[in-house]
Amino acid sequence: MDLHPGDGLLVADVQNDFLPGGALGIARGDEIVPVLNRYLAAFRARGLPIFASRDWHPPVHCSFREQGGIWPVHCVAGTQGAEFHRDFHLPPSAIVISKATDPKQEAYSVFEGTTLDEQLRETGVQRLFIGGLATDYCVLNTVRDAITRGYAVYLLTDGIRAVNLKPDDGRKAEEEMIRLGAVPVRLENLAA
Ligand code: VGL
Ligand code: ZN
């Protein structure tokens, strides 16, 4: 398939805390970094807009166990764990979107409580290519919201990994996104 004007890339939460060794490390999450770098390069080479989200919690957040949530403390704004992985090659032109910044509100979707929708409109995005972490949380909820908002969604199936609190969560999330209308794509489907 060819990329063309109207296409945009959204990469979710490639942050140290979501990678092996991080506070909420996702198994084999590091494997997608070089793959996502190739998507970044493809969009950048064509001058197409690139969005990168980051989970950006205050030090006390409702999703943390101490506050009754289900997660260990992770992605606290300004900490090393919240930084993008050092080998993730975001171009300077990438638009960074911080999410789940409100202490009282969990937000897995990058659309929730952000200006993503407006920014996609401003940059003329109609087809949104989505990858990153985690398949069963951020990616699933973002894909669902994007489809609801009328975007044509392409799921980068070689550029996602799941938390898998239950072993099938990632597989089920992927099936659900495709059922909702997301089109699965892989690097080899993109014209060089
Ligand atoms: C996420 C777990 C905890 C996500 C955020 O956005 O995928 N997952 N916080
Ligand atoms: Zn989080």
Side-chain angles (χ1 to χ4, degrees), residues 75-148:
C75 297
V76 173
T79 64
Q80 177 64 25
E83 293 296 309
F84 291 118
H85 189 275
R86 52 175 294 170
D87 300 328
F88 178 54
H89 298 146
L90 265 190
S93 58
I95 298 168
V96 174
I97 310 249
S98 303
K99 68 180 176 67
T101 59
D102 180 342
K104 295 196 174 60
Q105 202 126 24
E106 179 57 304
Y108 292 127
S109 167
V110 187
F111 286 96
E112 218 177 315
T114 72
T115 58
L116 176 63
D117 203 10
E118 290 89 321
Q119 293 189 271
L120 290 171
R121 283 172 210 286
E122 279 165 21
T123 50
V125 173
Q126 291 166 336
R127 301 202 306 177
L128 189 56
F129 292 70
I130 301 180
L133 302 168
T135 311
D136 34 359
Y137 294 92
C138 185
V139 174
L140 172 62
N141 286 278
T142 302
V143 164
R144 194 187 276 133
D145 282 354
I147 291 170
T148 302

Side-chain angles (χ1 to χ4, degrees), residues 13 18 24 55 57 71 74 99 106 108 133-134 137-138:
D13 302 9
F18 288 131
L24 215 169
D55 208 28
H57 298 310
W71 304 118
H74 66 280
K99 68 180 176 67
E106 179 57 304
Y108 292 127
L133 302 168
Y137 294 92
C138 185

Side-chain angles (χ1 to χ4, degrees), residues 9 11 14 32-43 85-90 187:
L9 176 65
V11 182
V14 183
I32 67 172
V33 174
V35 176
L36 293 171
N37 283 336
R38 292 188 54 195
Y39 285 109
L40 290 170
F43 278 74
H85 189 275
R86 52 175 294 170
D87 300 328
F88 178 54
H89 298 146
L90 265 190
L187 266 181

